[in-house]
Amino acid sequence: MTKLVQLRLSRIHYGGDSIGDDIRIEIECLNQFLGINKKIRNGAEVTLNAEIGQFTIEQASLQLPLMIRVIERDLIFNDVGSKQVKIKVDLHDIFPQTSAYAVSVKELRGLSPGQATGIFTLTIEA
């Protein structure tokens, strides 16, 4: 039986060190793309509920590949962190399934890394 699965970015938490507040989140899954620019301060959590994509699935469960990029936008050098993960979706479960992924972003000082590392925890719901 074919079912429609929808992936959503529900929350972002900004922890770790402060590296700036002009943040871009990019998530790609099976040729569907979400890109969001957001002002987020260190220590804050933002609720988004933004759709990453919709997928038609025939199996009972499957793992969808996600490429997550977090960019702190600067005038000269952007600070970038990325992570490639798989989100497991069980179609027998009728309730929303959530997974949280932490992405570290190391601050750049010119061409060399700085001391600060921001940790962005993204909660994704299927």
Side-chain angles (χ1 to χ4, degrees):
M1 178 162 75
T2 303
K3 290 197 177 182
L4 182 68
V5 173
Q6 183 180 56
L7 288 184
R8 299 185 82 69
L9 173 59
S10 59
R11 286 189 311 268
I12 302 170
H13 180 266
Y14 180 179
D17 301 321
S18 179
I19 58 170
D21 66 353
D22 191 8
I23 307 300
R24 177 164 177 83
I25 306 291
E26 297 179 348
I27 302 174
E28 187 175 349
C29 182
L30 299 177
N31 297 323
Q32 296 196 32
F33 180 80
L34 169 69
I36 293 178
N37 296 326
K38 206 71 170 155
K39 290 276 189 187
I40 307 172
R41 291 180 172 243
N42 184 261
E45 183 170 290
V46 176
T47 302
L48 293 174
N49 206 22
E51 182 177 303
I52 298 167
Q54 294 185 5
F55 309 94
T56 304
I57 299 175
E58 295 182 10
Q59 299 102 327
S61 69
L62 111 123
Q63 293 186 4
L64 295 170
L66 294 175
M67 180 59 185
I68 303 170
R69 277 181 295 284
V70 179
I71 304 160
E72 196 287 313
R73 300 182 313 169
D74 287 324
L75 291 174
I76 300 173
F77 295 103
N78 289 338
D79 307 325
V80 180
S82 63
K83 187 173 224 177
Q84 199 162 11
V85 298
K86 292 189 184 239
I87 183 169
K88 185 176 181 187
V89 180
D90 182 3
L91 296 181
H92 294 299
D93 193 351
I94 60 171
F95 296 103
Q97 301 165 44
T98 60
S99 300
Y101 303 102
V103 179
S104 298
V105 180
K106 189 116 174 118
E107 183 178 43
L108 288 176
R109 296 279 184 201
L111 294 175
S112 61
Q115 296 290 339
T117 301
I119 300 172
F120 295 84
T121 304
L122 285 69
T123 303
I124 297 176
E125 187 175 280

